[in-house]
Amino acid sequence: MRLSSESGDKPLREGSYDMAPVLPVLTLNELASLDSDGILANTGLTRRIKGPRRALAQALARRKGAIPSSRPADAGKTEDTQTEKGALPERSGTFRGLSSYAPPIPWHMATISESRLLTPFGVSGWPALDGPIIGRSVMNGNVWRYDAWSPYRYDKTSVNGLILGMMGSGKSTVLKVMCSRETLPPWNRHVLVEGDPKGEWAPVARAVGGDVIEVGGGQYLNPLDPGSRPMNFSEEKWRAEILGNQVDTMKSIAHVLRPAQEFSTKEKTLTHAVLRELAETSRVATIAAFYDLLRSDWIEHVEIAGMGRSDVLETANDLVLLFGDMVDGSQSGAFEHESTVNVDPASPMLVFNTGSVMSKNETKKALYTACMSSAVENLCNRHDGLFRLIIAEEGYELLKNPQVVEAWDKRMRLTGDQGTASWMLLHEMNDITKFAPEGTAQYEQINSVLTKAGVQVIYKQTPASLNQMRSMLGDDLSLTEIETIRELAPHCGLWRVGGQLKDVVVADFGPDMLPLVDTERNRRG
């Protein structure tokens, strides 16, 4: 390559690049190891190369065994046929994405001054991110290291993540592998699993010395529990923080119990007054205490700015009817009293088990999600110096509740303050429109949360989901990546870290961990 400029040997600022291809002198063994495309075998060039051919055959065999093949069912259809079904346009020619067209030459970047030193045969393929080993790249065979905070150390990328994939694609597996290894030295991260509907995370938590939180049947978890005051918070600041969080929790629960009607301004004002009264009289804030105070003589005499006597009594009656079912109705027995379960903030992994209620009772399912989400927020607000990975195993259960979405959005913006990295697992992107139609405020709120994820791990998707994904991500999702997602093999995911790092990764784990991550036994029959 020759740099041309009017200023002679000075660094090029204006002018042109003159480049010429250079063919390095390689032995047959070296050439065979680089021939991941099978070009030599396909063109018959090997007949003109002197030397043994066994190395070439071995290299081609290694290539076939190392790179998974997963041609889609519609691979033989024409572009016109696929377009009729609403699929995204395909590139012409032999282009097939990243995972199937995977020469063992890693992607690399260089400045103009460095580019003269780089060749496809000399650049190192060592991973740019640090962290525990998660798996290996199917593009170049190198190990894939990842720590939840490594993207920020690398180039200030957000530490929050999003994992998308069809059922059985491997999205839960890679996250269990990552989280279990993150708890080990020297990383020592702490993991909070916000809802485990299938009981899949409980064995993982016990394996790393963590705890499983279960409620119901006389075991209580108080969603209004303020926790311990951080050392850097004054008493006044902490009291205001607690009160705001408790009001948000009551709004989230109210949305579950009465989804068709918003929490009114009057209800919010009176809720604030009741919770403040409980704090000022040194009573523990619980749903039952809130309910009892609304039914006591206190409500007959309390003065609330902006609300007349009739407004206070009418609103109090509405709140009694709203929350009464949690105290002495069908939704009681889990969240209305002081906590009886022990939640250890220093546990390496805390799993909030919702498997016992994941039945046809959608209200109870949503109620558990809202209350356990509040418990997770209390742990994140401790400011105790611990770094926590927050995992939403069933992201759609959280996204259905606008108040929970708002809490996630707030936490994703406060990652530096709280020391948290929030990861959400979703199946099909287009499922969002089932409860949040495009154009609605809830859809825009969800979109805001998803686009704050600086790291995206995408497993195989249906054509409809690919269209929805591209609608959300826009031009940020290239046609190369779309083609890659189309042809991903099971357990192979496209990692997108910020705007630069992209790789196709498969998780690696040994026989001891297989029972902890294998969720396909019942599917296999």
Side-chain angles (χ1 to χ4, degrees):
M1 180 173 66
R2 184 175 74 254
L3 304 182
S4 302
S5 69
E6 296 177 359
S7 54
D9 295 332
K10 294 182 180 179
L12 179 66
R13 299 182 182 277
E14 296 179 350
S16 62
Y17 298 95
D18 293 333
M19 301 183 185
V22 177
L23 180 64
V25 178
L26 299 173
T27 66
L28 181 60
N29 287 5
E30 293 171 331
L31 192 58
S33 66
L34 293 168
D35 183 36
S36 67
D37 298 334
I39 294 175
L40 297 182
N42 294 334
T43 61
L45 183 60
T46 53
R47 291 193 300 270
R48 298 193 297 273
I49 299 180
K50 304 294 184 181
R53 301 181 184 177
R54 182 178 301 174
L56 177 59
Q58 290 175 345
L60 293 175
R62 285 197 304 270
R63 168 182 175 266
K64 292 178 181 178
I67 302 175
S69 176
S70 175
R71 292 192 64 90
D74 59 351
K77 297 181 181 180
T78 64
E79 182 174 343
D80 293 338
T81 304
Q82 293 180 2
T83 305
E84 289 175 3
K85 292 190 174 184
L88 290 165
E90 297 188 15
R91 284 191 177 182
S92 59
T94 59
F95 178 84
R96 290 190 54 208
L98 301 175
S99 62
S100 52
Y101 182 87
I105 301 170
W107 295 356
H108 56 271
M109 298 179 298
T111 63
I112 294 300
S113 61
E114 295 169 338
S115 62
R116 67 184 183 276
L117 302 177
L118 294 177
T119 74
F121 314 107
V123 65
S124 171
W126 192 252
L129 302 177
D130 59 345
I133 295 177
I134 306 303
R136 57 185 170 83
S137 166
V138 301
M139 293 179 61
N140 54 46
N142 290 321
V143 297
W144 178 260
R145 295 179 179 271
Y146 190 82
D147 166 53
W149 282 264
S150 58
Y152 188 83
R153 295 193 296 270
Y154 178 70
D155 65 355
K156 308 301 182 184
T157 292
S158 167
V159 300
N160 301 304
L162 172 66
I163 297 187
L164 294 164
M166 299 167 60
M167 185 175 295
S169 60
K171 59 186 182 301
S172 291
T173 297
V174 72
L175 201 54
K176 289 169 186 170
V177 170
M178 182 181 83
C179 289
S180 61
R181 292 174 186 169
E182 284 271 50
T183 64
L184 301 174
W187 312 103
N188 298 316
R189 309 306 189 188
H190 296 258
V191 180
L192 302 178
V193 181
E194 189 171 337
D196 182 21
K198 301 174 185 176
E200 296 176 358
W201 281 85
V204 182
R206 296 188 180 102
V208 300
D211 301 295
V212 180
I213 308 301
E214 297 178 334
V215 298
Q219 291 286 90
Y220 292 96
L221 178 67
N222 180 15
L224 301 179
D225 188 348
S228 303
R229 177 169 64 90
M231 295 181 62
N232 60 337
F233 274 58
S234 65
E235 188 66 37
E236 182 180 359
K237 180 181 178 182
W238 180 235
R239 191 179 297 115
E241 181 84 6
I242 290 172
L243 196 54
N245 292 338
Q246 289 175 338
V247 171
D248 288 342
T249 298
M250 297 300 282
K251 288 173 62 179
S252 181
I253 294 173
H255 177 81
V256 173
L257 300 174
R258 193 185 59 192
Q261 183 179 339
E262 292 186 6
F263 206 62
S264 69
T265 302
K266 292 179 181 179
E267 289 173 330
K268 181 179 177 180
T269 302
L270 183 55
T271 296
H272 188 281
V274 173
L275 293 171
R276 186 178 57 205
E277 175 67 14
L278 291 174
E280 291 176 351
T281 55
S282 300
R283 283 177 277 184
V284 177
T286 64
I287 302 294
F290 179 89
Y291 178 79
D292 291 340
L293 191 56
L294 285 172
R295 301 173 68 207
S296 69
D297 293 339
W298 174 82
I299 201 68
E300 301 288 342
H301 309 290
V302 66
E303 296 291 336
I304 300 177
M307 295 181 67
R309 174 57 38 201
S310 60
D311 286 338
V312 171
L313 295 177
E314 182 180 351
T315 305
N317 187 61
D318 291 340
L319 291 175
V320 166
L321 292 174
L322 178 59
F323 292 101
D325 201 29
M326 285 190 67
V327 179
D328 54 15
S330 61
Q331 308 298 340
S332 62
F335 302 108
E336 67 269 28
H337 297 301
E338 293 185 51
S339 294
T340 60
V341 296
N342 179 40
V343 180
D344 181 8
S347 175
M349 184 178 293
L350 282 173
V351 174
F352 290 84
N353 183 16
T354 54
S356 59
V357 296
M358 289 301 151
S359 61
K360 295 182 180 179
N361 190 332
E362 292 295 326
T363 299
K364 180 164 284 191
K365 184 193 304 184
L367 182 61
Y368 270 59
T369 300
C371 291
M372 290 188 170
S373 176
S374 175
V376 169
E377 289 302 315
N378 290 338
L379 289 168
C380 294
N381 287 325
R382 289 176 57 85
H383 295 83
D384 52 9
L386 300 181
F387 290 88
R388 292 185 170 92
L389 269 157
I390 319 299
I391 308 300
E393 171 67 26
E394 293 289 340
Y396 288 117
E397 297 299 331
L398 274 67
L399 295 178
K400 290 177 182 178
N401 190 326
Q403 296 302 320
V404 176
V405 175
E406 188 174 327
W408 264 74
D409 184 73
K410 178 182 177 181
R411 190 197 308 136
M412 292 175 84
R413 287 184 282 106
L414 295 176
T415 54
D417 179 62
Q418 296 181 339
T420 57
S422 299
W423 280 70
M424 184 174 289
L425 276 76
L426 302 174
H427 293 284
E428 296 288 331
M429 183 74 85
N430 60 317
D431 286 348
I432 295 173
T433 56
K434 293 179 181 178
F435 54 86
E438 288 191 54
T440 63
Q442 187 177 357
Y443 180 87
E444 295 303 322
Q445 189 179 40
I446 292 172
N447 189 41
S448 174
V449 167
L450 299 184
T451 53
K452 282 186 176 69
V455 182
Q456 296 149 1
V457 186
I458 306 173
Y459 289 81
K460 194 159 187 175
Q461 296 282 298
T462 63
S465 250
L466 274 173
N467 281 308
Q468 183 70 31
M469 192 185 306
R470 200 176 191 201
S471 174
M472 279 191 163
L473 299 178
D475 294 335
D476 187 46
L477 190 67
S478 68
L479 286 175
T480 304
E481 293 168 298
I482 292 172
E483 286 295 338
T484 300
I485 297 167
R486 286 185 196 273
E487 299 198 3
L488 285 171
H491 294 278
C492 292
L494 172 63
W495 284 67
R496 310 175 76 245
V497 183
Q500 299 294 335
L501 290 179
K502 298 170 186 178
D503 206 340
V504 180
V505 178
V506 60
D508 276 341
F509 48 87
D512 292 340
M513 194 166 188
L514 178 60
L516 304 180
V517 300
D518 184 13
T519 60
E520 298 181 0
R521 284 169 290 182
N522 291 336
R523 297 190 188 112
R524 290 193 295 262

